[in-house]
Amino acid sequence: MTAGFRAWIVEQPFWSDPNDSTWLRVLVIGLAGLLLIRVVALAMNATDLFFDEAQYWFWSVEPAFGYYSKPPLIAWIIHLSTDVCGVSEFCIRLPSPLLHTATAGCVAALGWRLYNARVGALSGLVFATLPAVSLSAGIISTDVPLLVCWAAALLLFWMVLEDEQGQWWPVLALGVALGVGLNAKYAMAWFFVCAALYFVLSPHRRAVLFNGRFLVAVAVGLAMLTPNVVWNAYNGFATVSHTADNANWGGPLMRPDKALEFFFAQFGVFGPILFGALLVIAWRATRMRLPEADRFLLAFALPIVIIITIQAFLSRAHANWAAVSYVAATVLVTATMTRDVAWGWLKGSLVLHAVVLALLIFGTTTAGLFALPGGRDPFARTLGWDELASATREHLQAARDDGRPYAAIVSDSRAVSSQLLYYLRDEPTPVRAYRWRPKPKDHFELTRPFTGVDGKPVLLVSLVGPGSPAVRGFERATQTGMLDLPTGQTQTRKVYFFTLQRYRNALKP
């Protein structure tokens, strides 16, 4: 495997072709510059962790093979980053711009291998400046490692398809990319759907199926998911259940408004010019036979957008659910624009995305200082959490000063649980999740439920107020405070504090 990999590296044309070397320098300088800008912007970021980010950090404190809503890779990545860098918001988010840069490198290698050096370098830079990537590079989420795994798998899959020597190292590397991707997010399974569609569209490629090479890669990938499957089995298949809940097929069906909302959101995710170009390419594909490389990329770009749009029509879908589509779509659109000499459109798209990047950097570094014309701060959901923790700490200290310390902090929402666990990470009073339903609805209800204390008071921190199920779960509930914590110039988050005594909820986790 090692010898084959070294041979492939040596054979690459850009080491010897002066023109290709120029494009390689353009790519490296461009990606390095973007990475530097994003790391500096991350250091100046004025937002608190979003509650998903805080939750992922807490997972990283307790490494496992699975968690309630996601596979384990995101927690392992944060664990590594915080071990090296520390537990600040900057260190928790730092893997994001690094991994996005790696993804752009894989995208560039894919374009280079399918077309030429110019398409490869431009594809890498186009991907690195996508609006969704610029937004994602300032946070830590499961899409970040998923995308790099998807891009690597797509490159390796093409290498397996093109390999006439029957080497096994690309096959095994593809299996590893698939396995790591599945441990990042189950959406990696869309890769199998797209590959199956490609085999249908390109019968001459089915040799890798008949000789078992692709099936070996799939087997390696699925084997790497086995520990997570075992974890799920021991925890009532919590992640599978959560994924089904996310699909929300039990709710009202036929939501054309949601389908339109998701579809038009893709103009923002991929960029209006690029997504419009992708639609044009898809329309062309119905009228003419595309080149082999184009057909390969379209098979990994369009189906997921269509499927998720249908999912949105049936129930709902978040804008990022089709994110993996834009790895292949970036190369396809860039190659098409280059081939059609549509430089004006490509340059216009890059300029537009550079403006979006600049606005995002300005927004995150000045979060809370300015409001949009409508009076709302776009970063409101990531502001005010540190202040919430400080107010909670004051309640805890006041109780200690009175000689009646709280035995625990109780939260009635995932958002509050995750933020208190992060921003009160040095506080000895434990944070517990109030669970009032038979089935846990988040990781904290699964692993840190409140089960009662021996007659001692607990502090409830709630965004709900007197109507919270936690208030009804105790014989005595005394409201001890209510604050309007600022989440921007004109917005606030109402937080309630209750002293709870005599737990009476008979629910056992």
Side-chain angles (χ1 to χ4, degrees):
M1 175 175 174
T2 303
F5 179 74
R6 287 176 180 170
W8 175 72
I9 287 292
V10 171
E11 290 168 2
Q12 293 311 295
F14 55 71
W15 297 116
S16 56
D17 189 308
N19 186 53
D20 287 3
S21 298
T22 299
W23 281 111
L24 178 63
R25 286 194 293 273
V26 169
L27 174 68
V28 171
I29 293 171
L31 292 184
L34 282 168
L35 177 61
L36 178 61
I37 290 170
R38 282 173 169 148
V39 170
V40 171
L42 200 59
M44 299 170 61
N45 194 314
T47 64
D48 297 333
L49 293 182
F50 185 55
F51 58 78
D52 278 345
E53 297 176 288
Q55 173 182 256
Y56 299 149
W57 167 81
F58 182 74
W59 291 357
S60 76
V61 177
E62 301 178 343
F65 285 114
Y67 301 93
Y68 176 83
S69 57
K70 297 290 188 297
L73 184 60
I74 186 70
W76 298 349
I77 290 171
I78 295 174
H79 183 88
L80 177 62
S81 179
T82 53
D83 268 2
V84 173
C85 178
V87 295
S88 65
E89 291 94 335
F90 170 81
C91 293
I92 291 170
R93 290 165 168 166
L94 182 58
S96 189
L98 298 176
L99 290 174
H100 275 309
T101 303
T103 305
C106 290
V107 170
L110 179 64
W112 211 306
R113 196 164 184 88
L114 268 67
Y115 300 100
N116 53 51
R118 180 171 62 176
V119 170
L122 290 174
S123 295
L125 294 175
V126 167
F127 181 85
T129 54
L130 292 182
V133 171
S134 292
L135 177 63
S136 178
I139 61 176
I140 188 70
S141 73
T142 52
D143 283 335
V144 178
L146 170 67
L147 285 170
V148 70
C149 292
W150 185 280
L154 202 56
L155 171 63
L156 290 162
F157 185 38
W158 180 259
M159 291 171 60
V160 170
L161 292 171
E162 291 285 290
D163 183 18
E164 297 179 354
Q165 300 176 3
Q167 299 179 94
W168 280 100
W169 76 262
V171 174
L172 298 178
L174 172 59
V176 171
L178 293 172
V180 176
L182 287 169
N183 278 284
K185 196 172 182 179
Y186 294 151
M188 189 72 198
W190 288 122
F191 194 95
F192 306 130
V193 175
C194 294
L197 177 61
Y198 177 66
F199 286 132
V200 170
L201 296 175
S202 301
H204 64 286
R205 292 296 199 181
R206 296 174 193 169
V208 297
L209 277 177
F210 299 144
N211 63 25
R213 289 159 59 77
F214 181 67
L215 297 180
V216 168
V218 172
V220 171
L222 294 178
M224 291 180 63
L225 188 63
T226 302
N228 178 250
V229 174
V230 172
W231 181 91
N232 266 280
Y234 276 101
N235 289 274
F237 288 97
T239 318
V240 177
S241 176
H242 170 78
T243 303
D245 290 343
N246 256 355
N248 196 35
W249 286 353
L253 299 180
M254 305 304 179
R255 298 293 304 272
D257 57 324
K258 292 297 182 181
L260 290 173
E261 179 183 311
F262 170 80
F263 179 79
F264 284 109
Q266 302 314 296
F267 286 93
V269 172
F270 193 36
I273 294 175
L274 299 183
F275 190 66
L278 178 62
L279 297 179
V280 171
I281 293 169
W283 176 78
R284 284 182 183 176
T286 64
R287 304 173 65 85
M288 64 182 71
R289 183 172 177 81
L290 296 178
E292 183 65 28
D294 290 24
R295 191 161 62 252
F296 172 77
L297 293 171
L298 193 61
F300 282 86
L302 196 60
I304 305 172
V305 175
I306 294 173
I307 293 170
I308 302 300
T309 302
I310 294 172
Q311 156 65 28
F313 178 76
L314 294 176
S315 176
R316 61 172 185 172
H318 295 301
N320 67 311
W321 283 9
V324 291
S325 297
Y326 302 119
V327 171
T330 295
V331 181
L332 176 60
V333 171
T334 303
T336 303
M337 286 184 170
T338 303
R339 190 165 54 225
D340 294 352
V341 199
W343 295 111
W345 289 108
L346 188 58
K347 291 177 183 177
S349 179
L350 285 169
V351 170
L352 178 61
H353 295 176
V355 171
V356 171
L357 172 60
L359 290 175
L360 284 170
I361 291 174
F362 176 79
T364 55
T365 55
T366 62
L369 300 180
F370 303 97
L372 294 176
R376 298 188 63 82
D377 191 312
F379 301 98
R381 294 202 298 171
T382 61
L383 296 172
W385 297 111
D386 196 7
E387 288 79 1
L388 182 149
S390 296
T392 303
R393 197 185 301 274
E394 291 175 5
H395 277 75
L396 295 172
Q397 189 57 49
R400 292 191 190 105
D401 293 342
D402 288 342
R404 294 177 293 178
Y406 290 110
I409 305 167
V410 176
S411 163
D412 58 4
S413 73
R414 179 171 67 96
V416 173
S417 295
S418 58
Q419 299 290 5
L420 291 181
L421 284 166
Y422 176 71
Y423 287 105
L424 292 180
R425 56 190 177 275
D426 298 325
E427 170 60 48
T429 307
V431 177
R432 301 295 179 190
Y434 186 79
R435 178 177 158 189
W436 55 277
R437 296 156 291 207
K439 181 181 176 182
K441 289 297 183 181
D442 61 54
H443 186 77
F444 308 114
E445 290 187 12
L446 177 69
T447 63
R448 300 177 62 85
F450 179 78
T451 56
V453 292
D454 297 332
K456 297 178 181 178
V458 297
L459 175 65
L460 171 65
V461 183
S462 174
L463 303 180
V464 179
S468 168
V471 172
R472 301 192 299 269
F474 289 77
E475 292 183 12
R476 293 184 60 184
T478 305
Q479 185 171 329
T480 55
M482 190 276 288
L483 296 174
D484 284 316
L485 297 176
T487 58
Q489 286 293 300
T490 60
Q491 297 165 258
T492 60
R493 178 179 294 113
K494 197 177 293 294
V495 183
Y496 300 86
F497 297 92
F498 291 85
T499 297
L500 306 178
Q501 293 175 288
R502 298 178 186 172
Y503 178 62
R504 64 186 179 189
N505 194 323
L507 177 65
K508 298 300 182 183

